[in-house]
Amino acid sequence: MKGAAERPPLARLGATIPQVFFEARSRYGNYNALYRRLGIGWEPTTSDSLYARAGNIALGLRAMGLKVGDRVALYMNSDSAFVTVDMGCLIAGVVDVPIYLSQAPDPVHYVLEHCEARMLFVSNADLLREVTPALKNLPDLETIVVADGPVAETRGITVVPLAQLEARGAEESARDSAAARTLADQRYPDDLATIIYTSGTTGTPKGVMLSHENLCMNALYTYQETGNYRFGPEGETSLSFLPLSHVFARTMCYASLAFGTPIWFTTPDNLAEDFQHVKPTVFSTVPRVLEKLYAKIVEKTEAASGVKGKLAKWALERARTWEMGSEPKGLDAIRHRTADKLVYAKWRAAMGGRISTISAGGAALNGEIVRVFAAAGIDLLQGYGLTETSPVITFNRPKTNRPGWVGVPLPHVEVRIAEDGEILTRGPHVMKGYYKAPELTARVIDDDGWFHTGDIGEFSDGFLRITDRKKDLFKLSTGKYVMPQPLENALAISPLVEQAVVVGEGKKYTSALIFPNQDAVQKLANQFELPLADLILEPAVLKAYAELVEAANSGRSHWTCVKRFRLVPDTVSIVNGLLTPTLKIKRSRVRERFSEEIESMYVGTECKPPVVAIELPKEAEHGSHSD
């Protein structure tokens, strides 16, 4: 294993991102800091090049008339060009506003108009064409900068290549080699660094204002608190595939730069291939990606036959019941080494063979997945936070990793549970507020500085557990409240399920819409030519899903159990507007889009496919109030 740098950066308060960036360059010297895909190859960016280009961009922005606090928008791919432009803005004191590439023109226009962006950066001509419909009636927008490739006039707005902007800055740098550093030294921890508009499961996007202090303390303490992280370019290797327009990926990127970790940028579509090429040791992800990885493991295990199949099933079952923090001894240790050599090593190989730590955030994660990965020698560390908290509030550490819980708070971060169960937090990680929305800010940050997260949770031995999203709770007509996420998580780890949405607001009982995985259904039915709408009517398919729902119901309060479900031969995706860019379900839109399917689960007593009834105890049938 490669060695780590002897002197790690000191996690502290009162720093700015450029300050930490320059310190890291001094500490680790010149190395290939960033890689991005270009065609069939990879383009490296050295730390020296990143330093020089970011400085020139900062000086170029100022030369083009942008002042401290002016807003520029980034409609860019999540790669090294994004990082370079972002760092240039941070050095210059210009506030950058990243925009999700998956959004439709109307919300993109809203962000550009609301933040009064004077400049827009795009990655290339393709993204420029894509964003053009959103550029009508934007009087504040003066310039578009294209990072790579040709430029063309767009709606009367001046379009320039990034190289031209950098050249303006390089002229200033030639006159004064310390000009960029002088700019960086003029930044203060409380300065506004970025405005990130929440993708929002409901309502109009809100512009979250984050300072240098917010992002810096979060990045530094998160990585340093991990405990076993190896600093420097000879230590860890990071594979990044989440959108940098989201605060989670962006803060982790700042942490990697601060700790001298090379970052390889890829996309979810290329993830399987790039695991093999990059062979990362660490990466950050959202739970849905892990659920799909785990579903693949389960699917291949169940399909295996003969001696290898029996061995695979034995090893998987062993992993599912793995005791966290335990060290097998004697005969048990021999069994574990056998399982690791013959089965778990193959799981790691699918992720490049060197993976040691995965950071997960953004949604609830099934504890079973944490145990299975731990048995395979991979620390899967779930954390919790929001855009408004930069984002990390709590996370699990390798030596104190509790499945189903989201860990303990970062240093300097306070957390408490309100009387109604809502999680409150206070500290240097909490945003400055919502842009142009003081009344909305006052609703979520009280007079004592506590940010009201909107999540429901509980504490035990210093560990936090999220029980549900406050706004996701729904009330049955019986008066009982249902938390949908635990049921959805239990269903989502199956290879048969692409997405599950639990419903029942104002109804007599709980039901579920299940969106099947078409490939898994085809294999189950042994039919590869029939459309999915026909396959889900097959008795064997319905039986398999019924068993899955019954297993998910097991051990739950009777009123929360799914009594009826419907298989929906459709998709829930970012493209059709039913998922946020961070893969959260937009529940109100799902209920609206599939209102007929939902109502079909509450009509009459005779349930015919594709609506399936699950046999529940009598008390669940009648919605008892005794609990």
Side-chain angles (χ1 to χ4, degrees):
M1 184 175 288
K2 294 181 178 180
E6 293 182 4
R7 190 164 60 94
L10 178 65
R12 65 193 188 279
L13 301 179
T16 68
I17 298 169
Q19 179 184 355
V20 170
F21 169 60
F22 287 124
E23 287 175 2
R25 177 176 175 268
S26 175
R27 178 177 293 112
Y28 300 116
N30 190 34
Y31 69 99
N32 285 343
L34 309 172
Y35 294 83
R36 67 168 174 169
R37 268 179 166 272
L38 279 184
I40 60 173
W42 293 82
E43 177 193 68
T45 298
T46 66
S47 53
D48 277 358
S49 175
L50 176 59
Y51 165 82
R53 292 190 63 195
N56 287 338
I57 289 170
L59 295 169
L61 288 168
R62 300 299 285 271
M64 292 184 71
L66 275 83
K67 304 181 295 297
V68 172
D70 281 345
R71 277 79 56 205
V72 303
L74 310 184
Y75 193 80
M76 302 183 72
N77 293 320
S78 296
D79 58 18
S80 53
F82 183 112
V83 176
T84 307
V85 170
D86 175 36
M87 195 61 68
C89 292
L90 294 169
I91 292 170
V94 171
V95 178
D96 58 30
V97 184
I99 299 176
Y100 287 107
L101 300 185
S102 55
Q103 289 186 319
D106 284 350
V108 172
H109 181 274
Y110 173 82
V111 170
L112 291 168
E113 181 179 50
H114 188 261
C115 77
E116 301 171 276
R118 290 187 59 189
M119 184 177 287
L120 171 65
F121 284 86
V122 298
S123 292
N124 50 46
D126 289 340
L127 287 187
L128 178 56
R129 282 192 294 271
E130 187 178 293
V131 78
T132 296
L135 304 183
K136 299 176 183 176
N137 304 318
L138 293 171
D140 296 299
L141 186 61
E142 302 165 353
T143 311
I144 297 172
V145 180
V146 181
D148 296 299
V151 301
E153 190 72 14
T154 300
R155 294 191 183 280
I157 302 170
T158 300
V159 182
V160 300
L162 179 58
Q164 181 176 320
L165 175 67
E166 289 185 57
R168 293 282 298 272
E171 292 173 3
E172 179 63 26
S173 185
R175 288 190 290 268
D176 179 3
S177 61
R181 186 59 191 264
T182 300
L183 263 186
D185 289 343
Q186 294 169 3
R187 309 283 71 78
Y188 293 93
D190 194 50
D191 285 353
L192 180 58
T194 188
I195 302 173
I196 300 178
Y197 282 79
T198 59
S199 54
T201 52
T202 59
T204 303
K206 302 182 290 290
V208 177
M209 297 188 291
L210 298 177
S211 69
H212 285 265
E213 173 89 299
N214 291 151
L215 296 164
C216 250
M217 69 81 54
N218 215 284
L220 294 177
Y221 278 109
T222 298
Y223 268 32
Q224 190 148 303
E225 283 285 304
T226 301
N228 59 0
Y229 197 90
R230 298 171 301 159
F231 311 114
E234 298 301 311
E236 311 295 350
T237 300
S238 176
L239 185 62
S240 179
F241 55 88
L242 297 179
L244 288 171
S245 45
H246 184 235
V247 67
F248 182 33
R250 192 138 156 236
T251 300
M252 295 303 99
C253 176
Y254 294 146
S256 293
L257 290 173
F259 285 71
T261 300
I263 310 171
W264 296 68
F265 291 102
T266 185
T267 65
D269 290 341
N270 293 316
L271 190 56
E273 177 184 348
D274 290 343
F275 269 139
Q276 303 308 314
H277 178 84
V278 176
K279 301 187 185 306
T281 62
V282 296
F283 69 87
S284 300
T285 185
V286 292
R288 190 62 190 129
V289 173
L290 296 171
E291 288 167 355
K292 290 185 175 183
L293 284 172
Y294 181 53
K296 283 286 186 185
I297 290 172
V298 173
E299 184 180 14
K300 289 185 177 180
T301 300
E302 292 177 348
S305 59
V307 175
K308 288 185 178 180
K310 290 181 180 179
L311 180 61
K313 292 176 177 65
W314 165 76
L316 177 58
E317 190 55 36
R318 178 183 177 85
R320 282 171 166 162
T321 57
W322 182 255
E323 292 186 21
M324 300 294 296
S326 66
E327 192 67 38
K329 298 178 181 178
L331 182 59
D332 194 42
I334 296 173
R335 289 172 177 160
H336 183 70
R337 285 196 296 270
T338 301
D340 187 78
K341 182 177 180 180
L342 299 178
V343 179
Y344 304 153
K346 293 179 181 178
W347 300 353
R348 293 192 297 272
M351 292 181 278
R354 296 200 306 153
I355 198 72
S356 61
T357 306
I358 302 172
S359 301
L365 176 64
N366 193 301
E368 181 177 304
I369 301 177
V370 178
R371 283 189 290 273
V372 168
F373 275 67
I378 300 170
D379 288 321
L380 175 47
L381 308 178
Q382 184 180 9
Y384 163 66
L386 302 90
T387 303
E388 290 89 339
T389 58
S390 315
V392 182
I393 299 173
T394 65
F395 78 101
N396 281 297
R397 277 57 158 184
K399 294 182 179 179
T400 54
N401 193 0
R402 186 180 292 189
W405 297 70
V406 293
V408 299
L410 285 179
H412 308 291
V413 169
E414 296 178 78
V415 178
R416 70 180 179 89
I417 307 297
E419 290 184 4
D420 63 355
E422 184 176 9
I423 300 166
L424 311 183
T425 187
R426 181 170 66 182
H429 61 310
V430 175
M431 66 173 180
K432 294 172 71 70
Y434 294 120
Y435 187 58
K436 295 183 179 177
E439 292 183 1
L440 189 57
T441 301
R443 286 185 210 163
V444 297
I445 302 178
D446 63 30
D447 292 340
D448 294 322
W450 290 100
F451 172 69
H452 294 239
T453 65
D455 290 314
I456 304 296
E458 61 183 0
F459 259 126
S460 176
D461 301 325
F463 282 77
L464 180 66
R465 179 165 67 178
I466 313 301
T467 54
D468 216 312
R469 184 74 179 150
K470 192 173 181 179
K471 67 182 179 182
D472 288 344
L473 287 170
F474 62 81
K475 191 176 183 180
L476 298 173
S477 62
T478 61
K480 293 293 187 182
Y481 283 93
V482 176
M483 297 182 291
Q485 285 190 351
L487 273 166
E488 291 168 352
N489 293 340
L491 293 168
I493 62 173
S494 168
L496 291 170
V497 177
E498 194 64 36
Q499 291 286 350
V501 182
V502 172
V503 297
E505 173 69 39
K507 303 295 186 180
K508 184 179 178 182
Y509 50 82
T510 303
S511 296
L513 296 173
I514 298 178
F515 299 84
N517 180 307
Q518 181 163 342
D519 292 340
V521 172
Q522 287 175 329
K523 291 177 183 176
L524 178 65
N526 198 25
Q527 290 279 355
F528 295 91
E529 295 181 359
L530 290 177
L532 184 58
D534 292 334
L535 286 174
I536 61 173
L537 301 179
E538 292 290 316
V541 171
L542 293 171
K543 181 175 182 292
Y545 280 97
E547 290 173 351
L548 179 62
V549 172
E550 287 173 346
N553 282 338
S554 179
R556 303 186 190 279
S557 300
H558 57 74
W559 67 87
T560 69
C561 293
V562 171
K563 182 183 175 185
R564 294 182 180 181
F565 69 88
R566 176 158 180 164
L567 301 181
V568 183
D570 209 327
T571 58
V572 174
S573 68
I574 297 171
V575 174
N576 64 20
L578 300 180
L579 286 182
T580 72
T582 53
L583 306 183
K584 294 187 182 75
I585 296 168
K586 294 185 176 181
R587 296 181 185 278
S588 60
R589 294 192 183 180
V590 169
R591 289 194 296 268
E592 181 182 344
R593 179 81 60 88
F594 300 103
S595 58
E596 290 185 11
E597 287 83 351
I598 292 171
E599 287 304 313
S600 72
M601 295 186 285
Y602 296 95
V603 176
T605 56
E606 291 296 322
C607 293
K608 296 180 179 179
V611 175
V612 180
I614 302 296
E615 289 296 326
L616 296 180
K618 280 283 186 180
E619 55 188 3
E621 186 78 19
H622 297 293
S624 170
H625 291 262
S626 60
D627 288 282

